[in-house]
Amino acid sequence: MAPKATKAEKKIAYDGKLCQLLEEYGQILVVNADNVGSKQLQNIRKGLRGDSVVLMGKNTMMKRSVRMHAEKTGNNVYLNLIPLLIGNVGLIFTKGDLKEVSEEVAKYKVGAPARVGLVAPIDVVVPPGNTGLDPSQTSFFQVLNIPTKINKGTVEIITPVELIRKGEKVGSSEAALLAKLGIRPFSYGLVVLSVYDNGSVFSPEVLDLTEDDLLEKFAAGVSMVTSLSLAISYPTLAAAPHMFVNAYKNILSVAIETDYSFPEADKVKEYLKDPSKFAVAAVAAPAAASGAPAAAAKEEEKKEEPAEESDDDMGFSLFD
């Protein structure tokens, strides 16, 4: 039988393992492991086996190992992990797609009963309907001010009731009632808190961004740059087209008010002298556009019409 490893030997082995993972993997998911059981964690490890490794441990040991690895390699980007190691957290090292790994982790959630003193992660609403409990159990409902009635010898809840609000602690009466009704309102699993990607740290919400979201945000940024550039008269690539148009408008205004002119201004001046020309031009443009298809259609009809046979084509003349 192999001798049991000492505490110091366990620390050395843990440091070596964490340093090896930091060296091998560039992407890490920092996950919260509150209320996650050992069997559930084992299933998660099996599900991620292949391109990901789950590592749990004390925060002090993880911080110590990260600092040691940063000093050893001279790469201080690993130090960005230290502020993230707060609370009951673990690390998922992966070489796969971060979004896919995050979705895979989210699949391993299991239902859990409402235990006394537990802080509710969500609102708990008891739905209306027959509870299957005998009338002697109405005291639970009366304590919690839940409207009920007796229907066919069983207690029936009349309306939906918000039993526990998110952030509140579960009381003994609420826990007992939910247990009697067989309701397991909470579900627990590893929750991704932060994402580390080769030195960069960002929120897991970034993984849900689509190409359309990125384009929308980019367009909003360009619009802001354009507005700022125009406001302070500072030329940028985004504002250049607007600046050219505004400059043209200014030059055109000067030309109209003075004797100075250029070809584009001449046409505007001509329209201003005789607005009827502008009206004729405006009407002529759609007419020309609609006339072109009509002319093409007529030409097509002519091609399709059979040619009339002449007397000469028939081989004789009526006057012979």
Side-chain angles (χ1 to χ4, degrees):
M1 185 175 177
K4 189 176 180 180
T6 63
K7 195 173 181 180
E9 290 173 342
K10 288 180 180 179
K11 283 186 178 180
I12 294 172
Y14 187 86
D15 288 339
K17 183 176 182 180
L18 182 53
C19 292
Q20 181 183 354
L21 291 173
L22 288 172
E23 191 70 31
E24 187 176 350
Y25 295 86
Q27 301 178 136
I28 306 171
L29 297 177
V30 181
V31 295
N32 181 277
D34 286 341
N35 303 298
V36 177
S38 57
K39 185 178 180 181
Q40 185 180 357
L41 193 59
Q42 186 179 2
N43 292 335
I44 294 173
R45 283 195 168 102
K46 287 181 180 178
L48 297 177
R49 189 172 295 167
D51 59 356
S52 302
V53 177
V54 181
L55 181 68
M56 307 298 293
K58 293 183 178 180
N59 293 347
T60 51
M61 290 183 64
M62 288 192 285
K63 289 179 180 179
R64 175 175 172 271
S65 298
V66 170
R67 288 194 184 97
M68 288 177 56
H69 188 68
E71 291 175 2
K72 182 179 178 181
T73 59
N75 191 352
N76 292 328
V77 295
Y78 296 115
L79 298 178
N80 295 334
L81 280 169
I82 293 178
L84 307 178
L85 303 177
I86 300 174
N88 186 17
V89 297
L91 302 176
I92 299 179
F93 297 83
T94 181
K95 293 181 180 179
D97 182 83
L98 288 170
K99 181 175 175 59
E100 292 179 1
V101 175
S102 179
E103 290 175 349
E104 184 67 23
V105 169
K107 293 179 183 178
Y108 294 90
K109 286 190 175 183
V110 297
R115 296 192 295 271
V116 179
L118 191 68
V119 177
I122 58 171
D123 295 331
V124 178
V125 178
V126 177
N130 197 314
T131 62
L133 301 176
D134 60 84
S136 62
Q137 306 290 330
T138 53
S139 58
F140 285 104
F141 300 96
Q142 291 173 355
V143 170
L144 298 169
N145 296 320
I146 298 176
T148 59
K149 67 178 181 179
I150 305 302
N151 184 16
K152 297 180 181 180
T154 57
V155 179
E156 181 177 331
I157 299 175
I158 300 173
T159 58
V161 178
E162 188 177 26
L163 190 63
I164 309 170
R165 292 185 178 179
K166 181 180 179 180
E168 293 181 350
K169 286 188 176 181
V170 179
S172 57
S173 299
E174 291 89 346
L177 177 61
L178 291 171
K180 285 181 178 292
L181 297 176
I183 297 175
R184 299 166 68 89
F186 307 140
S187 60
Y188 297 106
L190 294 181
V191 179
V192 179
L193 299 177
S194 302
V195 180
Y196 172 92
D197 188 0
N198 294 304
S200 301
V201 177
F202 50 87
S203 171
E205 284 78 12
V206 175
L207 300 177
D208 298 326
L209 291 176
T210 62
E211 289 187 5
D212 292 337
D213 294 330
L214 295 175
L215 289 174
E216 183 180 349
K217 291 183 180 295
F218 180 77
V222 171
S223 178
M224 291 179 64
V225 170
T226 303
S227 301
L228 180 62
S229 300
L230 293 175
I232 63 176
S233 300
Y234 184 82
T236 60
L237 189 60
H242 302 276
M243 288 182 167
F244 283 124
V245 170
N246 292 337
Y248 172 73
K249 289 179 180 178
N250 292 335
I251 295 173
L252 188 60
S253 300
V254 172
I256 291 172
E257 295 296 330
T258 62
D259 293 334
Y260 175 76
S261 188
F262 52 93
E264 288 77 8
D266 290 338
K267 186 179 291 186
V268 175
K269 287 183 177 181
E270 186 178 350
Y271 285 145
L272 292 175
K273 288 180 181 178
D274 186 5
S276 60
K277 291 183 178 181
F278 178 77
V280 172
V283 173
S290 60
K298 286 183 179 179
E299 189 67 27
E300 193 67 26
E301 287 178 3
K302 285 184 179 180
K303 290 180 180 179
E304 292 178 358
E305 287 179 358
E308 295 182 359
E309 294 182 347
S310 64
D311 293 339
D312 293 337
D313 293 336
M314 297 172 66
F316 63 91
S317 174
L318 295 174
F319 299 100
D320 285 348

